[in-house]
Amino acid sequence: MKAVGVDPNGPVGELFREMHYEMISGMQYGETIATSNQAEQLANKHEFTPDVIERMKEAIAQGKSVYTGSLSSDGPFAESLLCMEMFEIRSDEFFINAFNNYW
């Protein structure tokens, strides 16, 4: 919540908790990207921008975990909302790029 600037006790705190849950769940069924070659192969599969592919390769080189996942607009409200919005979150702990979200 801190990384996205949301007060957990504020009016949208519960919605953001639900969105966090949906993102974690989506990653569990996603793909772990462990090598630069795997990241490079995503360039033509998931519409990742060259910048995101480079960030993946840098993260892998630094020993960080890289995951891809997906969401469905047919799921719960929080998942649908995430699925239909384009966004990017950058923090010291993680990076989320959802620019290829579209409906």
Side-chain angles (χ1 to χ4, degrees):
M1 298 268 219
K2 182 179 176 183
V4 294
V6 172
D7 178 353
N9 300 313
V12 294
E14 183 61 28
L15 175 61
F16 274 80
R17 276 189 288 282
E18 291 172 10
M19 288 191 293
H20 177 261
Y21 171 80
E22 295 299 339
M23 284 192 288
I24 297 301
S25 295
M27 286 171 40
Q28 289 175 346
Y29 297 104
E31 183 179 356
T32 300
I33 309 303
T35 68
S36 291
N37 188 40
Q38 284 178 301
E40 193 64 45
Q41 290 175 4
L42 292 174
N44 298 319
K45 290 185 179 179
H46 296 288
E47 301 177 23
F48 291 111
T49 64
D51 179 54
V52 171
I53 298 297
E54 286 305 310
R55 287 184 68 95
M56 287 179 178
K57 292 194 294 193
E58 289 172 17
I60 291 165
Q62 295 170 7
K64 296 179 181 178
S65 299
V66 176
Y67 305 97
T68 64
S70 62
L71 300 166
S72 171
S73 61
D74 293 332
F77 176 71
E79 182 179 15
S80 291
L81 185 61
L82 287 168
C83 182
M84 294 184 285
E85 293 298 322
M86 294 171 52
F87 62 94
E88 184 173 84
I89 302 172
R90 296 174 187 231
S91 79
D92 292 337
E93 292 83 27
F94 61 88
F95 172 76
I96 298 172
N97 176 282
F99 284 167
N100 66 339
N101 283 359
Y102 51 86
W103 207 31

